[in-house]
Amino acid sequence: MSVPKAELHLHIEGTLEPELAFALAERNGAELPFASVQELHDAYRFEDLQSFLDLYYRLTDVLRTERDFTELAEAYLVRASAAGVRHAEIFFDPQAHTSRGVPFATVIDGLWAALRDSERRYGISTKLILCFLRDLSAESALETLSAAEPYLDRIVAVGLDSAEVGHPPAKFAAVYRRARELGLRAVAHAGEEGPASYVAEALDVLGVERIDHGIRVLEDPALVERLVRERIPLTVCPFSNVRLRVIDKLTDHPLRLMLELGLVATVNSDDPAYFGGYVQENLDGVRDALGLSDEHLRTLARNSFEASFIDERTRARYLGEVEAYRF
Ligand code: ADE
Ligand code: ZN
Protein backbone atom coordinates (compact mmCIF):
# COMPACT_ATOMS: atom_id res chain seq x y z
CA MET A 1 0.00 0.00 0.00
CA SER A 2 1.21 3.50 -0.76
CA VAL A 3 0.57 6.61 1.31
CA PRO A 4 -2.99 8.01 1.03
CA LYS A 5 -2.95 11.12 -1.11
CA ALA A 6 -5.00 13.59 -3.15
CA GLU A 7 -4.18 14.29 -6.77
CA LEU A 8 -4.89 17.92 -7.62
CA HIS A 9 -3.22 18.43 -11.00
CA LEU A 10 -4.36 15.87 -13.52
CA HIS A 11 -5.69 16.60 -17.00
CA ILE A 12 -8.09 13.82 -17.87
CA GLU A 13 -7.16 14.21 -21.56
CA GLY A 14 -3.55 13.67 -20.47
CA THR A 15 -4.38 10.17 -19.22
CA LEU A 16 -5.11 8.96 -22.76
CA GLU A 17 -2.73 6.03 -23.11
CA PRO A 18 -1.59 5.10 -26.66
CA GLU A 19 -3.41 1.76 -26.51
CA LEU A 20 -6.72 3.45 -25.66
CA ALA A 21 -6.10 6.14 -28.29
CA PHE A 22 -5.75 3.46 -30.96
CA ALA A 23 -8.79 1.52 -29.73
CA LEU A 24 -10.96 4.65 -29.75
CA ALA A 25 -9.63 5.72 -33.17
CA GLU A 26 -10.66 2.38 -34.59
CA ARG A 27 -14.08 2.41 -32.94
CA ASN A 28 -14.77 5.97 -34.13
CA GLY A 29 -13.18 5.77 -37.56
CA ALA A 30 -10.74 8.54 -36.60
CA GLU A 31 -7.40 8.91 -38.39
CA LEU A 32 -4.24 8.91 -36.27
CA PRO A 33 -0.98 10.08 -37.87
CA PHE A 34 0.89 7.09 -36.37
CA ALA A 35 1.16 3.57 -37.73
CA SER A 36 1.34 1.78 -34.38
CA VAL A 37 1.18 2.15 -30.61
CA GLN A 38 4.98 1.97 -30.59
CA GLU A 39 5.29 4.77 -33.13
CA LEU A 40 3.01 6.92 -31.00
CA HIS A 41 5.05 6.12 -27.89
CA ASP A 42 8.16 7.15 -29.77
CA ALA A 43 6.56 10.54 -30.54
CA TYR A 44 6.51 11.38 -26.81
CA ARG A 45 9.67 13.47 -26.98
CA PHE A 46 8.99 17.11 -26.36
CA GLU A 47 11.02 20.28 -26.81
CA ASP A 48 8.77 22.45 -24.67
CA LEU A 49 5.15 22.91 -23.59
CA GLN A 50 3.91 23.81 -27.10
CA SER A 51 5.38 20.72 -28.76
CA PHE A 52 3.55 18.60 -26.18
CA LEU A 53 0.28 20.53 -26.57
CA ASP A 54 0.37 19.97 -30.36
CA LEU A 55 0.26 16.20 -29.84
CA TYR A 56 -2.14 16.37 -26.88
CA TYR A 57 -4.74 18.32 -28.89
CA ARG A 58 -4.19 16.14 -31.96
CA LEU A 59 -4.96 12.99 -29.99
CA THR A 60 -8.14 14.39 -28.42
CA ASP A 61 -9.69 13.85 -31.86
CA VAL A 62 -10.30 10.19 -30.94
CA LEU A 63 -12.60 11.27 -28.06
CA ARG A 64 -16.03 11.69 -29.61
CA THR A 65 -18.81 10.00 -27.65
CA GLU A 66 -19.97 9.96 -24.04
CA ARG A 67 -18.74 6.39 -23.79
CA ASP A 68 -15.23 7.49 -24.85
CA PHE A 69 -15.04 10.04 -22.03
CA THR A 70 -16.44 7.52 -19.54
CA GLU A 71 -13.83 4.91 -20.50
CA LEU A 72 -11.06 7.49 -20.30
CA ALA A 73 -12.03 8.50 -16.77
CA GLU A 74 -12.59 4.91 -15.63
CA ALA A 75 -9.12 3.92 -16.81
CA TYR A 76 -7.64 6.75 -14.75
CA LEU A 77 -9.62 5.80 -11.64
CA VAL A 78 -8.46 2.19 -11.83
CA ARG A 79 -4.81 3.30 -11.90
CA ALA A 80 -5.25 6.00 -9.27
CA SER A 81 -6.99 3.64 -6.90
CA ALA A 82 -4.09 1.18 -7.11
CA ALA A 83 -1.69 4.06 -6.31
CA GLY A 84 -3.38 5.09 -3.05
CA VAL A 85 -5.16 8.17 -4.44
CA ARG A 86 -8.11 8.83 -2.10
CA HIS A 87 -9.29 12.06 -3.68
CA ALA A 88 -8.81 13.54 -7.17
CA GLU A 89 -9.61 17.00 -8.54
CA ILE A 90 -9.63 16.42 -12.26
CA PHE A 91 -9.10 19.04 -14.98
CA PHE A 92 -10.96 18.85 -18.24
CA ASP A 93 -10.55 21.07 -21.32
CA PRO A 94 -14.03 21.52 -22.85
CA GLN A 95 -12.79 23.83 -25.61
CA ALA A 96 -10.49 21.09 -26.92
CA HIS A 97 -13.69 19.20 -27.71
CA THR A 98 -16.32 21.83 -28.46
CA SER A 99 -13.93 23.33 -31.04
CA ARG A 100 -14.13 19.95 -32.88
CA GLY A 101 -17.91 19.87 -32.76
CA VAL A 102 -18.25 17.61 -29.69
CA PRO A 103 -20.98 19.14 -27.50
CA PHE A 104 -20.17 20.25 -23.95
CA ALA A 105 -22.90 17.90 -22.70
CA THR A 106 -21.21 14.87 -24.30
CA VAL A 107 -17.96 15.65 -22.50
CA ILE A 108 -19.39 16.31 -19.06
CA ASP A 109 -22.04 13.58 -19.16
CA GLY A 110 -19.42 11.07 -20.25
CA LEU A 111 -16.98 12.05 -17.52
CA TRP A 112 -19.73 12.21 -14.93
CA ALA A 113 -20.86 8.64 -15.64
CA ALA A 114 -17.45 7.53 -14.35
CA LEU A 115 -17.06 10.08 -11.55
CA ARG A 116 -20.46 10.29 -9.91
CA ASP A 117 -20.03 6.95 -8.15
CA SER A 118 -16.24 6.95 -7.89
CA GLU A 119 -16.10 6.73 -4.10
CA ARG A 120 -18.12 3.51 -3.98
CA ARG A 121 -16.55 1.92 -7.07
CA TYR A 122 -12.93 2.98 -6.70
CA GLY A 123 -12.56 4.38 -3.17
CA ILE A 124 -11.75 7.83 -4.61
CA SER A 125 -13.78 10.98 -4.05
CA THR A 126 -13.62 13.19 -7.13
CA LYS A 127 -14.31 16.74 -8.26
CA LEU A 128 -14.11 18.33 -11.71
CA ILE A 129 -12.20 21.52 -12.55
CA LEU A 130 -13.17 23.21 -15.81
CA CYS A 131 -10.11 24.69 -17.52
CA PHE A 132 -10.12 27.53 -20.01
CA LEU A 133 -7.54 27.37 -22.79
CA ARG A 134 -5.52 30.55 -22.34
CA ASP A 135 -4.38 30.70 -25.98
CA LEU A 136 -8.02 31.11 -27.03
CA SER A 137 -9.95 34.34 -26.48
CA ALA A 138 -11.53 35.64 -23.30
CA GLU A 139 -14.89 35.58 -25.15
CA SER A 140 -14.51 31.87 -25.85
CA ALA A 141 -13.84 31.28 -22.15
CA LEU A 142 -17.02 33.19 -21.24
CA GLU A 143 -19.03 31.10 -23.74
CA THR A 144 -17.58 27.93 -22.21
CA LEU A 145 -18.58 29.03 -18.72
CA SER A 146 -22.11 29.73 -19.99
CA ALA A 147 -22.27 26.21 -21.46
CA ALA A 148 -21.24 24.86 -18.06
CA GLU A 149 -23.95 26.67 -16.09
CA PRO A 150 -26.49 23.82 -16.17
CA TYR A 151 -23.82 21.50 -14.71
CA LEU A 152 -22.42 23.56 -11.85
CA ASP A 153 -23.22 20.86 -9.30
CA ARG A 154 -20.57 18.68 -11.00
CA ILE A 155 -17.82 21.32 -11.11
CA VAL A 156 -15.89 22.64 -8.12
CA ALA A 157 -13.58 25.18 -9.73
CA VAL A 158 -12.30 26.83 -12.87
CA GLY A 159 -8.70 26.60 -14.04
CA LEU A 160 -6.48 28.02 -16.77
CA ASP A 161 -4.15 25.94 -18.92
CA SER A 162 -2.50 25.56 -22.37
CA ALA A 163 0.26 27.80 -23.80
CA GLU A 164 1.30 30.12 -20.98
CA VAL A 165 3.83 32.62 -22.31
CA GLY A 166 2.11 35.63 -23.89
CA HIS A 167 -1.24 34.76 -22.29
CA PRO A 168 -1.11 36.38 -18.84
CA PRO A 169 -3.80 35.67 -16.26
CA ALA A 170 -5.30 39.17 -16.47
CA LYS A 171 -6.71 38.32 -19.92
CA PHE A 172 -9.25 36.15 -18.05
CA ALA A 173 -10.25 38.55 -15.26
CA ALA A 174 -13.90 38.81 -16.39
CA VAL A 175 -14.54 35.06 -16.71
CA TYR A 176 -12.95 34.37 -13.32
CA ARG A 177 -15.10 37.12 -11.76
CA ARG A 178 -18.19 35.48 -13.25
CA ALA A 179 -17.06 32.01 -12.09
CA ARG A 180 -16.65 33.25 -8.54
CA GLU A 181 -20.11 34.89 -8.68
CA LEU A 182 -21.44 31.46 -9.64
CA GLY A 183 -19.87 29.97 -6.51
CA LEU A 184 -16.94 28.23 -8.19
CA ARG A 185 -13.47 28.06 -6.66
CA ALA A 186 -10.47 29.15 -8.74
CA VAL A 187 -7.03 27.80 -9.66
CA ALA A 188 -4.69 28.59 -12.56
CA HIS A 189 -1.55 27.24 -14.20
CA ALA A 190 1.13 29.88 -13.63
CA GLY A 191 4.90 29.93 -13.39
CA GLU A 192 5.38 26.75 -15.44
CA GLU A 193 7.04 28.29 -18.52
CA GLY A 194 5.75 31.76 -17.73
CA PRO A 195 7.38 34.19 -15.29
CA ALA A 196 6.86 34.43 -11.53
CA SER A 197 4.87 37.64 -12.13
CA TYR A 198 2.08 35.49 -13.66
CA VAL A 199 1.76 33.74 -10.28
CA ALA A 200 1.24 37.06 -8.48
CA GLU A 201 -1.20 38.15 -11.19
CA ALA A 202 -3.22 34.93 -10.88
CA LEU A 203 -3.54 35.56 -7.14
CA ASP A 204 -4.25 39.29 -7.33
CA VAL A 205 -6.32 39.59 -10.50
CA LEU A 206 -8.05 36.20 -10.77
CA GLY A 207 -8.36 35.51 -7.04
CA VAL A 208 -7.08 31.94 -7.33
CA GLU A 209 -6.65 29.85 -4.19
CA ARG A 210 -4.05 27.46 -5.55
CA ILE A 211 -1.34 27.68 -8.21
CA ASP A 212 -0.72 24.87 -10.72
CA HIS A 213 3.03 24.30 -11.23
CA GLY A 214 4.37 27.62 -9.89
CA ILE A 215 7.96 26.43 -9.78
CA ARG A 216 9.26 29.70 -11.23
CA VAL A 217 8.19 31.52 -8.02
CA LEU A 218 11.63 30.56 -6.78
CA GLU A 219 12.98 33.39 -8.95
CA ASP A 220 11.17 35.90 -6.70
CA PRO A 221 12.04 35.53 -2.99
CA ALA A 222 9.43 38.09 -1.88
CA LEU A 223 6.73 36.13 -3.67
CA VAL A 224 7.95 32.88 -2.08
CA GLU A 225 7.64 34.57 1.31
CA ARG A 226 4.09 35.62 0.49
CA LEU A 227 3.07 32.10 -0.62
CA VAL A 228 4.54 30.64 2.56
CA ARG A 229 2.83 33.24 4.75
CA GLU A 230 -0.56 32.87 3.03
CA ARG A 231 -0.22 29.07 2.69
CA ILE A 232 -1.02 29.18 -1.04
CA PRO A 233 -0.58 25.61 -2.34
CA LEU A 234 1.43 24.74 -5.44
CA THR A 235 0.54 21.64 -7.46
CA VAL A 236 3.98 20.59 -8.64
CA CYS A 237 4.44 18.02 -11.45
CA PRO A 238 8.04 16.74 -11.46
CA PHE A 239 7.97 14.35 -14.44
CA SER A 240 6.14 16.97 -16.50
CA ASN A 241 8.79 19.58 -15.67
CA VAL A 242 11.54 17.27 -16.96
CA ARG A 243 9.67 16.09 -20.08
CA LEU A 244 8.71 19.66 -21.04
CA ARG A 245 12.25 20.85 -20.33
CA VAL A 246 11.30 23.32 -17.63
CA ILE A 247 14.20 21.69 -15.77
CA ASP A 248 17.00 19.53 -17.15
CA LYS A 249 16.77 16.45 -14.99
CA LEU A 250 14.93 15.14 -11.95
CA THR A 251 17.94 15.53 -9.67
CA ASP A 252 17.77 19.30 -10.41
CA HIS A 253 14.12 19.54 -9.37
CA PRO A 254 13.47 22.22 -6.72
CA LEU A 255 10.73 20.26 -4.90
CA ARG A 256 12.86 19.51 -1.84
CA LEU A 257 13.91 23.16 -1.62
CA MET A 258 10.26 24.21 -1.94
CA LEU A 259 9.32 22.01 1.03
CA GLU A 260 12.26 23.24 3.05
CA LEU A 261 11.27 26.85 2.36
CA GLY A 262 7.86 26.05 3.86
CA LEU A 263 5.86 26.19 0.61
CA VAL A 264 2.69 24.07 0.57
CA ALA A 265 3.92 21.95 -2.35
CA THR A 266 2.14 18.84 -3.58
CA VAL A 267 3.21 16.20 -6.14
CA ASN A 268 1.01 15.41 -9.12
CA SER A 269 1.21 13.78 -12.52
CA ASP A 270 -0.19 16.46 -14.93
CA ASP A 271 -0.46 14.31 -18.11
CA PRO A 272 0.72 10.90 -16.95
CA ALA A 273 0.19 9.04 -20.23
CA TYR A 274 2.66 11.44 -21.88
CA PHE A 275 5.22 12.06 -19.14
CA GLY A 276 6.23 8.60 -18.04
CA GLY A 277 4.25 8.00 -14.88
CA TYR A 278 1.28 8.50 -12.63
CA VAL A 279 1.37 10.18 -9.22
CA GLN A 280 3.04 7.32 -7.34
CA GLU A 281 5.82 7.10 -9.96
CA ASN A 282 6.33 10.85 -9.58
CA LEU A 283 6.61 10.46 -5.81
CA ASP A 284 8.99 7.51 -6.08
CA GLY A 285 11.02 9.42 -8.67
CA VAL A 286 11.53 12.53 -6.54
CA ARG A 287 12.15 10.47 -3.41
CA ASP A 288 15.03 8.69 -5.15
CA ALA A 289 16.37 11.66 -7.11
CA LEU A 290 16.22 14.17 -4.25
CA GLY A 291 16.74 11.85 -1.28
CA LEU A 292 13.39 12.69 0.31
CA SER A 293 12.74 11.29 3.77
CA ASP A 294 9.57 9.56 4.97
CA GLU A 295 8.70 12.81 6.73
CA HIS A 296 9.02 14.75 3.46
CA LEU A 297 6.66 12.22 1.89
CA ARG A 298 4.21 12.52 4.77
CA THR A 299 4.30 16.32 4.43
CA LEU A 300 3.53 16.01 0.70
CA ALA A 301 0.55 13.76 1.44
CA ARG A 302 -0.67 16.10 4.20
CA ASN A 303 -0.27 19.10 1.88
CA SER A 304 -2.32 17.37 -0.81
CA PHE A 305 -5.33 17.13 1.50
CA GLU A 306 -4.77 20.58 2.99
CA ALA A 307 -4.77 22.03 -0.54
CA SER A 308 -7.86 20.18 -1.75
CA PHE A 309 -11.40 21.53 -2.05
CA ILE A 310 -13.00 18.93 0.22
CA ASP A 311 -15.25 19.60 3.18
CA GLU A 312 -13.61 19.82 6.60
CA ARG A 313 -14.90 16.48 7.89
CA THR A 314 -13.56 14.60 4.89
CA ARG A 315 -10.26 16.49 5.17
CA ALA A 316 -9.91 15.48 8.83
CA ARG A 317 -10.62 11.85 7.95
CA TYR A 318 -8.02 11.78 5.17
CA LEU A 319 -5.44 13.61 7.29
CA GLY A 320 -5.99 10.97 9.98
CA GLU A 321 -5.19 8.28 7.40
CA VAL A 322 -1.95 10.10 6.51
CA GLU A 323 -0.83 10.36 10.14
CA ALA A 324 -1.60 6.67 10.74
CA TYR A 325 0.33 5.52 7.64
CA ARG A 326 3.57 3.59 8.27
CA PHE A 327 6.19 3.98 5.57
N1 ADE B 1 -2.57 21.17 -20.65
C1 ADE B 1 -2.27 19.90 -20.33
N2 ADE B 1 -1.12 19.86 -19.64
C2 ADE B 1 -0.68 21.13 -19.49
C3 ADE B 1 0.42 21.74 -18.87
N3 ADE B 1 1.37 21.04 -18.23
N4 ADE B 1 0.55 23.08 -18.95
C4 ADE B 1 -0.36 23.80 -19.59
N5 ADE B 1 -1.43 23.28 -20.18
C5 ADE B 1 -1.60 21.95 -20.14
ZN1 ZN C 1 -1.21 20.94 -16.13
Side-chain angles (χ1 to χ4, degrees):
M1 250 300 278
S2 37
V3 64
K5 61 187 83 65
E7 177 147 54
L8 306 176
H9 188 151
L10 181 279
H11 301 264
I12 199 64
E13 295 88 349
T15 67
L16 179 61
E17 293 285 344
E19 293 75 10
L20 183 58
F22 268 90
L24 295 182
E26 188 169 299
R27 186 161 89 199
N28 292 329
E31 291 277 327
L32 277 181
F34 302 95
S36 65
V37 167
Q38 188 55 47
E39 204 179 285
L40 178 51
H41 255 299
D42 294 345
Y44 289 7
R45 281 201 199 89
F46 309 112
E47 302 299 313
D48 54 15
L49 176 58
Q50 189 60 54
S51 64
F52 155 69
L53 290 170
D54 292 343
L55 181 63
Y56 170 91
Y57 293 128
R58 179 68 185 79
L59 288 196
T60 58
D61 185 44
V62 304
L63 296 163
R64 296 189 180 180
T65 67
E66 270 184 45
R67 182 179 163 202
D68 300 340
F69 287 94
T70 305
E71 289 179 9
L72 180 70
E74 283 175 341
Y76 166 68
L77 290 167
V78 168
R79 287 177 180 267
S81 174
V85 174
R86 305 284 286 109
H87 175 74
E89 297 182 3
I90 299 175
F91 294 135
F92 71 119
D93 284 337
Q95 291 154 295
H97 312 300
T98 53
S99 63
R100 302 180 286 114
V102 177
F104 187 93
T106 300
V107 180
I108 197 155
D109 286 340
L111 294 174
W112 192 243
L115 301 185
R116 74 171 158 235
D117 218 9
S118 61
E119 188 140 28
R120 187 182 60 76
R121 289 171 67 200
Y122 302 99
I124 304 179
S125 51
T126 49
K127 294 184 183 294
L128 275 173
I129 300 179
L130 183 163
C131 282
F132 305 116
L133 301 187
R134 68 201 306 157
D135 44 353
L136 301 186
S137 67
E139 291 70 35
S140 174
L142 277 163
E143 283 164 20
T144 304
L145 184 58
S146 295
E149 282 198 35
Y151 305 97
L152 291 183
D153 56 334
R154 305 180 187 180
I155 298 169
V156 68
V158 291
L160 190 61
D161 64 2
S162 202
E164 185 180 6
V165 174
H167 302 286
K171 177 176 162 187
F172 296 94
V175 74
Y176 269 70
R177 200 177 316 116
R178 177 79 188 127
R180 282 187 287 105
E181 281 167 11
L182 292 170
L184 295 169
R185 317 282 294 257
V187 302
H189 283 53
E192 179 186 18
E193 280 192 346
S197 63
Y198 282 16
V199 173
E201 198 174 302
L203 294 169
D204 295 334
V205 181
L206 304 184
V208 305
E209 299 169 69
R210 198 161 82 198
I211 296 288
D212 297 312
H213 292 295
I215 70 170
R216 289 193 61 193
V217 291
L218 294 170
E219 295 166 22
D220 180 345
L223 185 56
V224 169
E225 239 176 75
R226 173 184 177 188
L227 296 185
V228 171
R229 195 172 55 245
E230 297 182 13
R231 292 199 72 70
I232 306 287
L234 301 174
T235 63
V236 179
C237 305
F239 282 13
S240 165
N241 296 151
V242 174
R243 291 297 189 99
L244 301 186
R245 310 214 187 167
V246 173
I247 58 165
D248 283 341
K249 52 190 188 307
L250 207 53
T251 47
D252 294 340
H253 200 284
L255 178 74
R256 181 175 175 142
L257 172 64
M258 295 170 92
L259 290 175
E260 293 176 357
L261 288 168
L263 287 163
V264 185
T266 66
V267 165
N268 306 269
S269 64
D270 205 4
D271 301 286
Y274 293 86
F275 299 151
Y278 285 72
V279 64
Q280 189 59 46
E281 285 86 53
N282 272 266
L283 283 164
D284 293 345
V286 284
R287 182 198 58 209
D288 296 346
L290 306 176
L292 298 188
S293 66
D294 291 349
E295 275 322 295
H296 285 123
L297 296 172
R298 196 183 306 279
T299 299
L300 287 168
R302 211 184 274 131
N303 288 351
S304 73
F305 292 115
E306 177 180 339
S308 67
F309 294 142
I310 44 183
D311 65 76
E312 294 310 319
R313 267 190 55 194
T314 311
R315 194 188 322 278
R317 175 161 56 85
Y318 287 145
L319 285 170
E321 288 182 27
V322 172
E323 297 316 315
Y325 182 77
R326 291 287 150 261
F327 282 91

